[in-house]
Amino acid sequence: MHIIQCDMRYELEHKRRTRERIVRNAARKLRAEGLSSPGIASVMKASGLTVGGFYKHFRSKDELLADAIAQAFSDSEKLYSSVQAVPREDRWKELVRLYLSSEHCDDPDTGCPVAALAPEIARAKLTVRKRVSGVIKEHRWVEFMPGASAAERERNFLIILSAMAGAVSVARILTEPADRRKVLATMRDHLLHSF
């Protein structure tokens, strides 16, 4: 009996870790290639697995999309954990600087999913959009935003996130590095002086 319990725990843990690996790879590929580009085969191959194993972990591609986008938000939050060392009233400024950096702009596969995928997420199935909407509403960055009240911080978060994601999206369209940097710097300076 003890051996069966250990085997079951190992199998459940192995399945959980495998699912997490698939979701992490999907999150990276979606941000790099868009929602429609990486197929199940591509994601499974990047995870070191065969296509046949997909349905052992997910009911549908939409379930994977929703999980991968949520993972992408989680990944992008981890990138900004360095703001904890910054005084609380200045954390939003550091977030703006990091978000509107050339590094973030040049690496969509590891950056914010809003800047990388917003137009595509808007056309996704309702279940995917609801999941992403919930993640945005619960975004931890709200607590770092300027404002005297929770409502004001939430309003400023929506303004700042929308402006930053738009600026990064526009910068990524431009082919000249100097033009990209100009878009990012212009928005960064505007936001830092507007709040």
Side-chain angles (χ1 to χ4, degrees), residues 88-93 95-96 141-157 160 191-192 194-195:
R88 186 165 185 75
E89 65 276 4
D90 293 329
R91 288 180 186 169
W92 75 273
K93 294 175 184 176
L95 286 170
V96 168
W141 290 2
V142 172
E143 68 185 70
F144 302 140
M145 291 296 121
S149 67
E152 195 175 330
R153 284 189 295 278
E154 182 179 1
R155 176 179 86 55
N156 291 339
F157 165 71
I160 291 169
L191 290 175
L192 293 175
S194 295
F195 292 90

Side-chain angles (χ1 to χ4, degrees), residues 57-130:
H57 301 281
F58 303 95
R59 289 184 299 271
S60 67
K61 185 176 180 183
D62 288 334
E63 181 182 353
L64 173 60
L65 284 177
D67 286 357
I69 293 167
Q71 178 66 46
F73 274 103
S74 179
D75 292 346
S76 68
E77 280 194 7
K78 289 175 193 172
L79 293 174
Y80 299 101
S81 62
S82 63
V83 301
Q84 298 299 327
V86 175
R88 186 165 185 75
E89 65 276 4
D90 293 329
R91 288 180 186 169
W92 75 273
K93 294 175 184 176
E94 188 62 21
L95 286 170
V96 168
R97 288 182 190 103
L98 289 168
Y99 196 106
L100 294 170
S101 68
S102 292
E103 294 79 17
H104 179 237
C105 184
D106 294 343
D107 294 318
D109 59 325
T110 59
C112 177
V114 175
L117 299 169
E120 292 180 87
I121 294 170
R123 290 189 283 279
K125 289 187 177 177
L126 183 61
T127 54
V128 174
R129 292 193 337 261
K130 280 185 176 182

Side-chain angles (χ1 to χ4, degrees), residues 3-17:
I3 293 172
I4 293 172
Q5 286 177 334
C6 288
D7 288 346
M8 287 176 63
R9 270 187 270 154
Y10 169 79
E11 188 174 316
L12 290 173
E13 180 64 20
H14 178 72
K15 185 173 182 176
R16 183 188 63 75
R17 284 194 323 267

Side-chain angles (χ1 to χ4, degrees), residues 12-29:
L12 290 173
E13 180 64 20
H14 178 72
K15 185 173 182 176
R16 183 188 63 75
R17 284 194 323 267
T18 301
R19 180 186 169 98
E20 287 175 358
R21 186 171 73 236
I22 296 167
V23 170
R24 278 193 315 274
N25 284 317
R28 199 169 24 258
K29 288 183 89 44

Side-chain angles (χ1 to χ4, degrees), residues 2 12 36 53 56-57 73 78 85 100 106 113 122 133-134 140 144 149-150 159 175 179 187:
H2 181 68
L12 290 173
S36 59
K56 291 179 185 176
H57 301 281
F73 274 103
K78 289 175 193 172
L100 294 170
D106 294 343
S133 179
R140 288 185 0 202
F144 302 140
S149 67
I159 292 168
T175 57
D179 294 338
M187 182 56 71

